[in-house]
Amino acid sequence: MSRILFCVLFLSCVGSRIVPTWAEPRSGKIIPPFESANAFVPANRIDELAAAKWEELGITPAPLCSDAVFIRRVYLDLTGTLPSAEAVQEFLADDSPKKRERLIESLFGTDAYADYWAMRWGDLLRIKSEFPINLWPNAVQSYGKWVRTAVLENMPYDRFARELLTSSGSNFRVPPVNFYRATQDRSPEGIAQTVALTFLGARAETWPKDRLAGLAAFFTQIGYKPTGEWKEEIVCWDPTQALAKPESRPNQSLVGILPDGKRVPLPAGRDPREVFAEWLISPDNPYFAKVAVNRVWAWLLGRGIVHEPDDFREDNPPSNPELLQYLADELVRSKYDFRHIYRLILNSRTYQLSAIPRDSNPQAATQFASYPVRRLEAEVLIDAICSITGTSEEYWSMIPEPYSIIPPGQRAVSLTDGSITSSFLELFGRPPRDSGLNDERNPRFTAGQRLHLLNSSHIYRKLESGPGLAWLRDGIWNEATIRRMYLTILSRPPTAEELNALLSLGRSRYRSRDVAVDAAWSLINSTEFLYRH
């Protein structure tokens, strides 16, 4: 039997569809593999506001997800990694009602958490050495390290934004100044568009010209000065820039106009960036906190309450305005503590719903009546495959500098520089980080991606010879081996149907090593493995 045929047949039988039950290993109790028997009972204000919308629209929510689904989901959503087989077994055996809450807390502050969320911010902030951003490696390393430290130390978001907007100095030594360099258009209008996209969730290129010019006025006094060190640049407040060649910028004004329409004179002797930053991070700002929590919601649940999360405008209202306002108020009340928002969302029963919908109402998806299924990001997917197989990838950059040499074993999620890549990352839709738009990351599955996973020597070599699966290839093909394989790859025990199907293969005329490799290959090609659910 060819390996491709084996894979297709196995996936069609048990590996790619929802199966009815599995037996909890300690008690033998039969429980669903993807859903919990527990009824939906609101755990916090998020659940109350979501449930009110469901009732208003006549939507039936999905049941809660099972413990096996939850541990995989929260590991992926907080750290971009899969839980170990041992971690899954320990979690499933824990009878404590607080175990989900404790799991969430245990993942905060880990290196994997810092790497994953630094990657998220790196996409938004366009951290990239090469064209068209051209930060160059030294600046990328400095900027990326600053972002990762901010995530790891839970820097308040208002301080994070203020430092990005108002810092001055060398792009090598004052990392936040790279915010003004990581943009294709360094004109005041171009910077204004970048600021609006990043902090206001708005696509300012669609604004009326006078509105964009009013915002651009806050960024007319930014200077860029070279130094004697190669590719180093000083970014600073330079009042002379506002008067330089005024004929080249006829729409420019020395009076700034805030996005809420308020006109603000730009005082002599003060950096206009500070004036804008004070308005932006004020607790009274109607945009800043809402845009921030909406991004977090979209990152954790696949779509924003305002969707897309960088398309805030009057004719694109939130699907649940009360929920968005509540989260924004909580961010301000917590002094801009993002982890407080993570905790609220992750501990909500809304986040913990099953991914299997219970309602065909088209509004069920926009009201988060089930967990949105979505493909693993390119970096997360290859890291997961490498972690399971004990292998590594080779990454490269077109820039021939020391920082483009990547040590073996480095996770794709931790690649600071968006210019460093691989053929796998390119194929699976890693964003180019050219614009900071949310839709730069392509989550759609293509035929080429399917063929690569199913029929490439790249993936097969990892399964055939990777040291991480030596126990599977060389061990006895029995129930214990199959159970460990499922816990390692799918983060759950096998169902009775799956177990019987695989045990019967082991009794066939095919070598157990071939069966083991092909079975692992089938699981990695399953929808259950390739998607968040």
Side-chain angles (χ1 to χ4, degrees), residues 513-528:
R513 178 186 174 91
D514 291 340
V515 169
V517 171
D518 292 353
W521 196 13
S522 298
L523 294 186
I524 283 177
N525 275 276
S526 69
T527 301
E528 185 177 348

mmCIF file with all atom_site columns, all heavy atoms in Angstrom, residues 513-528:
data_model
loop_
_atom_site.group_PDB
_atom_site.id
_atom_site.type_symbol
_atom_site.label_atom_id
_atom_site.label_alt_id
_atom_site.label_comp_id
_atom_site.label_asym_id
_atom_site.label_entity_id
_atom_site.label_seq_id
_atom_site.pdbx_PDB_ins_code
_atom_site.Cartn_x
_atom_site.Cartn_y
_atom_site.Cartn_z
_atom_site.occupancy
_atom_site.B_iso_or_equiv
_atom_site.pdbx_formal_charge
_atom_site.auth_seq_id
_atom_site.auth_comp_id
_atom_site.auth_asym_id
_atom_site.auth_atom_id
_atom_site.pdbx_PDB_model_num
ATOM 1   N N   . ARG A 1 513 ? 6.918  -0.537 11.669 1.00 0.00 ? 513 ARG A N   1
ATOM 2   C CA  . ARG A 1 513 ? 7.571  0.756  11.485 1.00 0.00 ? 513 ARG A CA  1
ATOM 3   C C   . ARG A 1 513 ? 6.859  1.559  10.399 1.00 0.00 ? 513 ARG A C   1
ATOM 4   O O   . ARG A 1 513 ? 6.611  2.750  10.552 1.00 0.00 ? 513 ARG A O   1
ATOM 5   C CB  . ARG A 1 513 ? 9.039  0.554  11.107 1.00 0.00 ? 513 ARG A CB  1
ATOM 6   C CG  . ARG A 1 513 ? 9.795  1.857  10.848 1.00 0.00 ? 513 ARG A CG  1
ATOM 7   C CD  . ARG A 1 513 ? 11.214 1.601  10.334 1.00 0.00 ? 513 ARG A CD  1
ATOM 8   N NE  . ARG A 1 513 ? 11.875 2.837  9.965  1.00 0.00 ? 513 ARG A NE  1
ATOM 9   C CZ  . ARG A 1 513 ? 12.617 3.556  10.778 1.00 0.00 ? 513 ARG A CZ  1
ATOM 10  N NH1 . ARG A 1 513 ? 12.806 3.169  12.025 1.00 0.00 ? 513 ARG A NH1 1
ATOM 11  N NH2 . ARG A 1 513 ? 13.189 4.678  10.352 1.00 0.00 ? 513 ARG A NH2 1
ATOM 12  N N   . ASP A 1 514 ? 6.521  0.895  9.293  1.00 0.00 ? 514 ASP A N   1
ATOM 13  C CA  . ASP A 1 514 ? 5.812  1.595  8.223  1.00 0.00 ? 514 ASP A CA  1
ATOM 14  C C   . ASP A 1 514 ? 4.439  2.065  8.685  1.00 0.00 ? 514 ASP A C   1
ATOM 15  O O   . ASP A 1 514 ? 4.004  3.176  8.378  1.00 0.00 ? 514 ASP A O   1
ATOM 16  C CB  . ASP A 1 514 ? 5.654  0.682  7.004  1.00 0.00 ? 514 ASP A CB  1
ATOM 17  C CG  . ASP A 1 514 ? 6.988  0.408  6.325  1.00 0.00 ? 514 ASP A CG  1
ATOM 18  O OD1 . ASP A 1 514 ? 7.932  1.183  6.547  1.00 0.00 ? 514 ASP A OD1 1
ATOM 19  O OD2 . ASP A 1 514 ? 7.070  -0.591 5.578  1.00 0.00 ? 514 ASP A OD2 1
ATOM 20  N N   . VAL A 1 515 ? 3.750  1.201  9.412  1.00 0.00 ? 515 VAL A N   1
ATOM 21  C CA  . VAL A 1 515 ? 2.432  1.567  9.929  1.00 0.00 ? 515 VAL A CA  1
ATOM 22  C C   . VAL A 1 515 ? 2.542  2.771  10.850 1.00 0.00 ? 515 VAL A C   1
ATOM 23  O O   . VAL A 1 515 ? 1.739  3.715  10.775 1.00 0.00 ? 515 VAL A O   1
ATOM 24  C CB  . VAL A 1 515 ? 1.789  0.373  10.665 1.00 0.00 ? 515 VAL A CB  1
ATOM 25  C CG1 . VAL A 1 515 ? 0.547  0.824  11.424 1.00 0.00 ? 515 VAL A CG1 1
ATOM 26  C CG2 . VAL A 1 515 ? 1.445  -0.727 9.687  1.00 0.00 ? 515 VAL A CG2 1
ATOM 27  N N   . ALA A 1 516 ? 3.535  2.780  11.716 1.00 0.00 ? 516 ALA A N   1
ATOM 28  C CA  . ALA A 1 516 ? 3.695  3.871  12.675 1.00 0.00 ? 516 ALA A CA  1
ATOM 29  C C   . ALA A 1 516 ? 3.969  5.191  11.967 1.00 0.00 ? 516 ALA A C   1
ATOM 30  O O   . ALA A 1 516 ? 3.360  6.222  12.274 1.00 0.00 ? 516 ALA A O   1
ATOM 31  C CB  . ALA A 1 516 ? 4.830  3.540  13.650 1.00 0.00 ? 516 ALA A CB  1
ATOM 32  N N   . VAL A 1 517 ? 4.896  5.179  11.011 1.00 0.00 ? 517 VAL A N   1
ATOM 33  C CA  . VAL A 1 517 ? 5.233  6.414  10.288 1.00 0.00 ? 517 VAL A CA  1
ATOM 34  C C   . VAL A 1 517 ? 4.029  6.905  9.497  1.00 0.00 ? 517 VAL A C   1
ATOM 35  O O   . VAL A 1 517 ? 3.707  8.104  9.484  1.00 0.00 ? 517 VAL A O   1
ATOM 36  C CB  . VAL A 1 517 ? 6.445  6.180  9.367  1.00 0.00 ? 517 VAL A CB  1
ATOM 37  C CG1 . VAL A 1 517 ? 6.668  7.389  8.457  1.00 0.00 ? 517 VAL A CG1 1
ATOM 38  C CG2 . VAL A 1 517 ? 7.704  5.918  10.195 1.00 0.00 ? 517 VAL A CG2 1
ATOM 39  N N   . ASP A 1 518 ? 3.345  5.977  8.821  1.00 0.00 ? 518 ASP A N   1
ATOM 40  C CA  . ASP A 1 518 ? 2.191  6.380  8.014  1.00 0.00 ? 518 ASP A CA  1
ATOM 41  C C   . ASP A 1 518 ? 1.044  6.894  8.882  1.00 0.00 ? 518 ASP A C   1
ATOM 42  O O   . ASP A 1 518 ? 0.329  7.829  8.492  1.00 0.00 ? 518 ASP A O   1
ATOM 43  C CB  . ASP A 1 518 ? 1.718  5.204  7.157  1.00 0.00 ? 518 ASP A CB  1
ATOM 44  C CG  . ASP A 1 518 ? 2.732  4.834  6.077  1.00 0.00 ? 518 ASP A CG  1
ATOM 45  O OD1 . ASP A 1 518 ? 3.718  5.577  5.929  1.00 0.00 ? 518 ASP A OD1 1
ATOM 46  O OD2 . ASP A 1 518 ? 2.531  3.815  5.395  1.00 0.00 ? 518 ASP A OD2 1
ATOM 47  N N   . ALA A 1 519 ? 0.867  6.295  10.040 1.00 0.00 ? 519 ALA A N   1
ATOM 48  C CA  . ALA A 1 519 ? -0.193 6.763  10.940 1.00 0.00 ? 519 ALA A CA  1
ATOM 49  C C   . ALA A 1 519 ? 0.113  8.167  11.444 1.00 0.00 ? 519 ALA A C   1
ATOM 50  O O   . ALA A 1 519 ? -0.767 9.040  11.486 1.00 0.00 ? 519 ALA A O   1
ATOM 51  C CB  . ALA A 1 519 ? -0.352 5.802  12.113 1.00 0.00 ? 519 ALA A CB  1
ATOM 52  N N   . ALA A 1 520 ? 1.374  8.418  11.827 1.00 0.00 ? 520 ALA A N   1
ATOM 53  C CA  . ALA A 1 520 ? 1.760  9.760  12.270 1.00 0.00 ? 520 ALA A CA  1
ATOM 54  C C   . ALA A 1 520 ? 1.590  10.764 11.139 1.00 0.00 ? 520 ALA A C   1
ATOM 55  O O   . ALA A 1 520 ? 1.123  11.892 11.345 1.00 0.00 ? 520 ALA A O   1
ATOM 56  C CB  . ALA A 1 520 ? 3.202  9.751  12.771 1.00 0.00 ? 520 ALA A CB  1
ATOM 57  N N   . TRP A 1 521 ? 1.970  10.357 9.928  1.00 0.00 ? 521 TRP A N   1
ATOM 58  C CA  . TRP A 1 521 ? 1.812  11.220 8.751  1.00 0.00 ? 521 TRP A CA  1
ATOM 59  C C   . TRP A 1 521 ? 0.333  11.548 8.535  1.00 0.00 ? 521 TRP A C   1
ATOM 60  O O   . TRP A 1 521 ? -0.032 12.690 8.223  1.00 0.00 ? 521 TRP A O   1
ATOM 61  C CB  . TRP A 1 521 ? 2.390  10.494 7.542  1.00 0.00 ? 521 TRP A CB  1
ATOM 62  C CG  . TRP A 1 521 ? 2.648  11.355 6.342  1.00 0.00 ? 521 TRP A CG  1
ATOM 63  C CD1 . TRP A 1 521 ? 2.660  12.713 6.271  1.00 0.00 ? 521 TRP A CD1 1
ATOM 64  C CD2 . TRP A 1 521 ? 2.937  10.898 5.030  1.00 0.00 ? 521 TRP A CD2 1
ATOM 65  N NE1 . TRP A 1 521 ? 2.949  13.130 4.999  1.00 0.00 ? 521 TRP A NE1 1
ATOM 66  C CE2 . TRP A 1 521 ? 3.123  12.033 4.212  1.00 0.00 ? 521 TRP A CE2 1
ATOM 67  C CE3 . TRP A 1 521 ? 3.068  9.631  4.463  1.00 0.00 ? 521 TRP A CE3 1
ATOM 68  C CZ2 . TRP A 1 521 ? 3.428  11.944 2.853  1.00 0.00 ? 521 TRP A CZ2 1
ATOM 69  C CZ3 . TRP A 1 521 ? 3.378  9.542  3.107  1.00 0.00 ? 521 TRP A CZ3 1
ATOM 70  C CH2 . TRP A 1 521 ? 3.553  10.685 2.318  1.00 0.00 ? 521 TRP A CH2 1
ATOM 71  N N   . SER A 1 522 ? -0.528 10.584 8.722  1.00 0.00 ? 522 SER A N   1
ATOM 72  C CA  . SER A 1 522 ? -1.966 10.808 8.558  1.00 0.00 ? 522 SER A CA  1
ATOM 73  C C   . SER A 1 522 ? -2.487 11.807 9.579  1.00 0.00 ? 522 SER A C   1
ATOM 74  O O   . SER A 1 522 ? -3.283 12.691 9.248  1.00 0.00 ? 522 SER A O   1
ATOM 75  C CB  . SER A 1 522 ? -2.719 9.478  8.697  1.00 0.00 ? 522 SER A CB  1
ATOM 76  O OG  . SER A 1 522 ? -2.341 8.566  7.709  1.00 0.00 ? 522 SER A OG  1
ATOM 77  N N   . LEU A 1 523 ? -2.053 11.663 10.826 1.00 0.00 ? 523 LEU A N   1
ATOM 78  C CA  . LEU A 1 523 ? -2.532 12.581 11.864 1.00 0.00 ? 523 LEU A CA  1
ATOM 79  C C   . LEU A 1 523 ? -2.060 14.006 11.598 1.00 0.00 ? 523 LEU A C   1
ATOM 80  O O   . LEU A 1 523 ? -2.811 14.964 11.811 1.00 0.00 ? 523 LEU A O   1
ATOM 81  C CB  . LEU A 1 523 ? -2.058 12.109 13.239 1.00 0.00 ? 523 LEU A CB  1
ATOM 82  C CG  . LEU A 1 523 ? -2.637 10.782 13.742 1.00 0.00 ? 523 LEU A CG  1
ATOM 83  C CD1 . LEU A 1 523 ? -2.197 10.532 15.177 1.00 0.00 ? 523 LEU A CD1 1
ATOM 84  C CD2 . LEU A 1 523 ? -4.153 10.744 13.633 1.00 0.00 ? 523 LEU A CD2 1
ATOM 85  N N   . ILE A 1 524 ? -0.825 14.159 11.129 1.00 0.00 ? 524 ILE A N   1
ATOM 86  C CA  . ILE A 1 524 ? -0.314 15.500 10.841 1.00 0.00 ? 524 ILE A CA  1
ATOM 87  C C   . ILE A 1 524 ? -1.044 16.114 9.652  1.00 0.00 ? 524 ILE A C   1
ATOM 88  O O   . ILE A 1 524 ? -1.149 17.340 9.539  1.00 0.00 ? 524 ILE A O   1
ATOM 89  C CB  . ILE A 1 524 ? 1.212  15.443 10.627 1.00 0.00 ? 524 ILE A CB  1
ATOM 90  C CG1 . ILE A 1 524 ? 1.903  15.329 11.991 1.00 0.00 ? 524 ILE A CG1 1
ATOM 91  C CG2 . ILE A 1 524 ? 1.735  16.639 9.855  1.00 0.00 ? 524 ILE A CG2 1
ATOM 92  C CD1 . ILE A 1 524 ? 3.397  15.181 11.936 1.00 0.00 ? 524 ILE A CD1 1
ATOM 93  N N   . ASN A 1 525 ? -1.581 15.287 8.772  1.00 0.00 ? 525 ASN A N   1
ATOM 94  C CA  . ASN A 1 525 ? -2.359 15.802 7.638  1.00 0.00 ? 525 ASN A CA  1
ATOM 95  C C   . ASN A 1 525 ? -3.841 15.983 7.969  1.00 0.00 ? 525 ASN A C   1
ATOM 96  O O   . ASN A 1 525 ? -4.608 16.414 7.110  1.00 0.00 ? 525 ASN A O   1
ATOM 97  C CB  . ASN A 1 525 ? -2.213 14.868 6.434  1.00 0.00 ? 525 ASN A CB  1
ATOM 98  C CG  . ASN A 1 525 ? -0.979 15.173 5.616  1.00 0.00 ? 525 ASN A CG  1
ATOM 99  O OD1 . ASN A 1 525 ? -0.998 16.042 4.759  1.00 0.00 ? 525 ASN A OD1 1
ATOM 100 N ND2 . ASN A 1 525 ? 0.109  14.459 5.891  1.00 0.00 ? 525 ASN A ND2 1
ATOM 101 N N   . SER A 1 526 ? -4.250 15.646 9.174  1.00 0.00 ? 526 SER A N   1
ATOM 102 C CA  . SER A 1 526 ? -5.664 15.757 9.523  1.00 0.00 ? 526 SER A CA  1
ATOM 103 C C   . SER A 1 526 ? -6.061 17.204 9.782  1.00 0.00 ? 526 SER A C   1
ATOM 104 O O   . SER A 1 526 ? -5.253 18.037 10.218 1.00 0.00 ? 526 SER A O   1
ATOM 105 C CB  . SER A 1 526 ? -5.971 14.911 10.765 1.00 0.00 ? 526 SER A CB  1
ATOM 106 O OG  . SER A 1 526 ? -5.359 15.466 11.917 1.00 0.00 ? 526 SER A OG  1
ATOM 107 N N   . THR A 1 527 ? -7.304 17.504 9.508  1.00 0.00 ? 527 THR A N   1
ATOM 108 C CA  . THR A 1 527 ? -7.838 18.830 9.806  1.00 0.00 ? 527 THR A CA  1
ATOM 109 C C   . THR A 1 527 ? -7.692 19.147 11.287 1.00 0.00 ? 527 THR A C   1
ATOM 110 O O   . THR A 1 527 ? -7.413 20.295 11.661 1.00 0.00 ? 527 THR A O   1
ATOM 111 C CB  . THR A 1 527 ? -9.323 18.895 9.392  1.00 0.00 ? 527 THR A CB  1
ATOM 112 O OG1 . THR A 1 527 ? -9.420 18.614 7.997  1.00 0.00 ? 527 THR A OG1 1
ATOM 113 C CG2 . THR A 1 527 ? -9.927 20.257 9.690  1.00 0.00 ? 527 THR A CG2 1
ATOM 114 N N   . GLU A 1 528 ? -7.843 18.150 12.116 1.00 0.00 ? 528 GLU A N   1
ATOM 115 C CA  . GLU A 1 528 ? -7.755 18.356 13.562 1.00 0.00 ? 528 GLU A CA  1
ATOM 116 C C   . GLU A 1 528 ? -6.391 18.878 13.977 1.00 0.00 ? 528 GLU A C   1
ATOM 117 O O   . GLU A 1 528 ? -6.286 19.711 14.884 1.00 0.00 ? 528 GLU A O   1
ATOM 118 C CB  . GLU A 1 528 ? -8.068 17.051 14.293 1.00 0.00 ? 528 GLU A CB  1
ATOM 119 C CG  . GLU A 1 528 ? -8.126 17.197 15.801 1.00 0.00 ? 528 GLU A CG  1
ATOM 120 C CD  . GLU A 1 528 ? -8.506 15.892 16.490 1.00 0.00 ? 528 GLU A CD  1
ATOM 121 O OE1 . GLU A 1 528 ? -8.937 14.948 15.796 1.00 0.00 ? 528 GLU A OE1 1
ATOM 122 O OE2 . GLU A 1 528 ? -8.364 15.823 17.716 1.00 0.00 ? 528 GLU A OE2 1
#
